[in-house]
């Protein structure tokens, strides 16, 4: 040490005669585990933060008093250094947590033991529609207000029942949350208790996840099963009934009856085949690819004339009228798919006009596109349902149309086909006043459809 002292003295040019070293030591708690279940640090370790060297130029040696004062000074310095380090670590930790909260797609909230919101992230604000100023320091139940709960108990009910209890298990709550604007969203919330010393509840962390997609998928599955089973049952029952009648020898002796039954069987089989086709198309569309044929130049007036002729033969109550502007142009398109579009629109116009009446099919053209309108004077569609009828399986409940069978798939497919041709479809209607469906198609879509060699990917 004295050699080192001489070296430092020589280097600094100071007359250094004495040196005393003071260790800067702090006691640090060692964390055995994250403090769950009351696992708080039991052991403590001493950590050396550094050493202070004190030099003296007098030759007088350090007295015990000097040493005590210097030792105290070193302790204070150690505490100050340690605090600065802890503070920096705490600031960094907070930044890390803020970043985590910020990037999380799930809503996160930190509640105090009094269930007031201490912190919450942007995702939760977006999900609930509350602003930070309206949420922070307000009770949990203001932000999390259940329109319907699917779990046994809410957070307040669980706490009243003794949660988190002895095993500190997280609490799972699922239901429909009322947003600030009154709308509803399906969520699941996982609450986890954060415990302090002696198992005192410090905070409750709540992770909120939007599960509307899963709920919608469940509802869709249920609708699918009920629609399919109902729609399959009817034609199958009819075919079976007719076939059973035909098996009776006395029925077969009546040629008119045989003809009627066989026609019925053919018609119902066609209905079944159409239903299966629609289901297949819908699943293809879901998977992202509806098939298309080669595109050709189409005379829509002719195509609609054929469809109208077919339907006119099936109904006496309805008068189908075609009105195309003179020199209506040909357009590029998939003949089968476009026939499917207008077949659906015309059959709907007839189906949803149970009292009968006129159905007008109008065609107009501009240099760039053609617009076709299918207008009926039937039950009509309420304004707030007019967008939804294009969704899968969506059917409007109006008393006048009760008993009209269908799957709610037709318009879903119609819209996809029209869009794949680069066109648009919309409806104008008033309840009880009939409906007009408009389809606008570009005159040249060939490039769009052909480019993908028969297969179109739809968004
Ligand atoms: P489906 O006729 O098999 O139920 P669609 O997808 O073709 O299915 O139609 C969806 C819903 O839109 C129908 O259930 C019906 O409520 C409504 N709708 C469609 N076309 C008409 C129309 N011309 N008039 C009144 N309502 C209609």
């Amino acid at each position: 040490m004295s050699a080192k002292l001489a070296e430092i003295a020589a280097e600094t040019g100071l007359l250094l005669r004495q040196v005393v070293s003071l260790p800067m030591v702090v006691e640090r708690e060692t964390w055995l585990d994250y403090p769950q279940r009351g696992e708080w640090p039991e052991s403590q370790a001493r950590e050396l933060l550094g050493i202070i060297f004190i030099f003296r130029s007098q030759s007088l040696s350090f007295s015990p008093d000097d040493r005590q004062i210097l030792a105290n000074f070193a302790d204070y310095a150690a505490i100050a250094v340690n605090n600065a380090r802890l503070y920096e670590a705490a600031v960094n930790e907070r930044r890390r947590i803020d970043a985590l909260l910020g990037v999380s797609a799930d809503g996160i909230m930190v509640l105090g033991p009094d269930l007031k919101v201490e912190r919450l992230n942007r995702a939760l604000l977006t999900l609930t529609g509350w602003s930070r100023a309206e949420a922070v320091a307000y009770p949990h139940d203001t932000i999390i207000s259940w329109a319907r709960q699917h779990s046994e108990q809410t957070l307040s009910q669980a706490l009243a029942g003794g949660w988190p209890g002895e095993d500190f298990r997280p609490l799972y709550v699922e239901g429909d949350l009322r947003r600030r604007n009154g709308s509803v969203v399906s969520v699941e919330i996982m609450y986890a208790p954060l415990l302090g010393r002696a198992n005192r509840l410090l905070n409750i962390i709540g992770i909120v996840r939007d599960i509307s997609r899963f709920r919608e998928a469940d509802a869709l599955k249920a609708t699918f099963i009920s629609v399919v089973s109902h729609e399959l049952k009817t034609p199958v029952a009819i075919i079976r009934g007719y076939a059973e009648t035909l098996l009776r020898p006395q029925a077969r002796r009546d040629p008119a009856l045989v003809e009627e039954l066989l026609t019925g069987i053919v018609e119902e089989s066609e209905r079944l085949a159409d239903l299966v086709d629609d289901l297949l198309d819908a699943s293809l569309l879901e998977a992202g690819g509806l098939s298309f044929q080669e595109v050709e130049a189409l005379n829509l007036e002719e195509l609609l004339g054929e469809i109208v002729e077919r339907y006119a033969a099936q109904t006496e109550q309805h008068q189908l009228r075609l009105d195309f502007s003179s020199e209506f142009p040909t357009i590029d398109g998939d003949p089968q798919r476009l026939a499917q579009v207008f077949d659906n629109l015309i059959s709907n116009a007839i189906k949803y006009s149970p009292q009968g009446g006129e159905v007008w099919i109008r065609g107009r053209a501009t240099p760039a596109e053609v617009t076709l309108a299918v207008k009926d004077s039937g039950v009509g569609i309420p304004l707030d349902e007019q967008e939804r009828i294009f969704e899968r399986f969506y059917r409007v409940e109006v008393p006048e149309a009760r008993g009209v069978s269908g799957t709610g798939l037709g318009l879903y497919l119609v819209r996809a086909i029209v869009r794949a041709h680069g066109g648009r479809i919309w409806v104008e209607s008033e309840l009880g006043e009939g409906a007009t469906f408009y389809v606008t198609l570009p005159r040249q879509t060939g490039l769009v459809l052909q480019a993908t060699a028969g297969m179109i990917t739809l968004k």
Side-chain angles (χ1 to χ4, degrees):
M1 194 62 172
S2 56
K4 192 80 189 158
L5 183 63
E7 198 180 300
I8 294 171
E11 239 171 62
T12 56
L14 295 168
L15 196 62
L16 303 177
R17 295 228 169 91
Q18 297 256 347
V19 65
V20 64
S21 60
L22 305 164
M24 288 164 56
V25 174
V26 284
E27 305 216 320
R28 192 181 296 289
E29 291 168 330
T30 42
W31 297 82
L32 299 176
D33 196 356
Y34 183 75
Q36 280 174 345
R37 306 170 178 237
E39 282 160 4
W40 279 80
E42 279 157 14
S43 71
Q44 291 192 328
R46 288 164 65 77
E47 189 192 345
L48 181 67
L49 294 182
I51 298 175
I52 302 176
F53 292 97
I54 310 269
F55 299 96
R56 260 193 180 174
S57 47
Q58 319 101 307
S59 54
L60 241 98
S61 65
F62 285 97
S63 70
D65 268 1
D66 288 346
R67 286 179 186 279
Q68 187 54 49
I69 289 167
L70 289 173
N72 288 348
F73 167 73
D75 284 347
Y76 286 129
I79 290 166
V81 169
N82 194 39
N83 282 350
R85 276 177 29 173
L86 288 177
Y87 179 74
E88 199 191 336
V91 167
N92 286 343
E93 195 56 34
R94 183 162 179 115
R95 282 211 193 110
R96 210 168 290 146
I97 291 173
D98 282 345
L100 261 175
L101 291 180
V103 298
S104 166
D106 289 335
I108 301 177
M109 60 187 157
V110 180
L111 308 173
D114 56 358
L115 297 195
K116 285 202 175 130
V117 176
E118 286 182 2
R119 294 179 75 178
L120 78 176
N121 68 347
R122 195 180 310 222
L124 188 55
L125 294 173
T126 313
L127 186 68
T128 58
W130 293 89
S131 71
R132 196 173 293 280
E134 288 167 328
V136 171
Y138 280 83
H140 162 268
D141 288 0
T142 313
I143 315 301
I144 306 298
S145 142
W146 296 110
R148 198 146 50 103
Q149 92 192 56
H150 301 303
S151 316
E152 270 172 36
Q153 41 187 3
T154 61
L155 175 63
S156 324
Q157 288 163 341
L159 282 164
W163 183 79
E166 294 292 300
D167 51 2
F168 310 106
R169 221 177 285 158
L171 173 71
Y172 179 82
V173 180
E174 195 184 308
D176 296 336
L177 195 70
R178 202 186 311 280
R179 289 199 180 100
R180 192 185 190 290
N181 65 7
S183 64
V184 160
V185 57
S186 294
V187 296
E188 61 175 22
I189 307 184
M190 186 72 86
Y191 295 100
L194 184 68
L195 303 171
R197 287 180 200 277
N199 289 344
R200 196 170 59 85
L201 188 64
L202 289 182
N203 285 114
I204 296 170
I205 317 285
I207 314 269
V208 188
R209 182 166 293 174
D210 182 348
I211 53 165
S212 0
R213 273 165 169 247
F214 302 113
R215 294 223 143 259
E216 275 164 23
D218 278 352
L220 204 62
K221 214 187 295 165
T223 316
F224 174 83
I225 291 167
S226 83
V227 163
V228 169
S229 49
H230 178 262
E231 288 301 304
L232 284 176
K233 246 184 179 167
T234 320
V236 168
I238 295 174
I239 291 172
R240 187 186 175 148
Y242 288 180
E244 277 170 359
T245 313
L246 277 173
L247 277 175
R248 291 198 210 116
Q250 62 269 41
R252 263 180 286 171
R253 270 181 234 124
D254 179 350
L257 180 64
V258 169
E259 165 119 16
E260 192 187 316
L261 295 173
L262 286 174
T263 311
I265 289 175
V266 170
E267 279 170 6
E268 293 306 316
S269 323
E270 277 168 0
R271 247 178 83 178
L272 265 181
D274 286 349
L275 175 67
V276 172
D277 282 348
D278 277 1
L279 286 170
L280 281 175
D281 278 350
S283 73
L284 277 177
L285 191 55
E286 249 320 270
L290 192 60
S291 59
F292 283 83
Q293 285 186 335
E294 285 290 286
V295 168
E296 48 186 82
L298 277 179
N299 182 335
L300 281 184
E301 194 175 357
E302 234 175 70
L303 186 127
L304 277 150
E306 285 164 20
I307 300 174
V308 160
E309 214 172 287
R310 187 155 34 86
Y311 277 106
Q314 292 173 18
T315 170
E316 277 170 12
Q317 278 182 298
H318 302 87
Q319 298 79 48
L320 279 70
R321 316 232 183 270
L322 280 168
D323 166 24
F324 274 70
S325 60
S326 58
E327 296 183 19
F328 190 83
T330 56
I331 67 147
D332 288 344
D334 176 330
Q336 264 185 13
R337 288 298 188 188
L338 287 181
Q340 188 181 350
V341 166
F342 296 108
D343 200 296
N344 256 295
L345 295 180
I346 294 170
S347 87
N348 277 351
I350 294 171
K351 257 188 355 185
Y352 297 105
S353 310
Q355 309 291 342
E358 290 188 332
V359 175
W360 278 93
I361 296 110
R362 292 201 166 90
R364 298 285 179 267
T366 68
E369 55 185 25
V370 296
T371 302
L372 290 110
V374 179
K375 179 180 178 351
D376 63 56
S377 49
V379 299
I381 305 159
L383 190 65
D384 55 348
E385 310 261 21
Q386 288 177 10
E387 204 34 53
R388 300 209 64 192
I389 55 170
F390 296 98
E391 291 173 15
R392 257 178 314 170
F393 297 117
Y394 195 82
R395 307 199 69 219
V396 185
E397 299 274 334
V398 287
E400 295 75 15
R402 195 158 291 145
V404 178
S405 72
T407 56
L409 283 176
L411 290 178
Y412 170 65
L413 295 171
V414 162
R415 185 173 65 176
I417 295 168
V418 170
R419 285 185 174 170
H421 280 78
R424 285 167 287 133
I425 179 165
W426 70 98
V427 64
E428 285 174 10
S429 176
E430 250 178 73
L431 197 57
E433 301 289 322
T436 309
F437 282 83
Y438 294 90
V439 172
T440 293
L441 296 165
R443 285 167 62 163
Q444 283 174 330
T445 50
L447 289 178
V448 184
L449 289 170
Q450 270 171 348
T452 47
M455 208 54 179
I456 285 281
T457 307
L458 294 157
K459 300 238 159 57

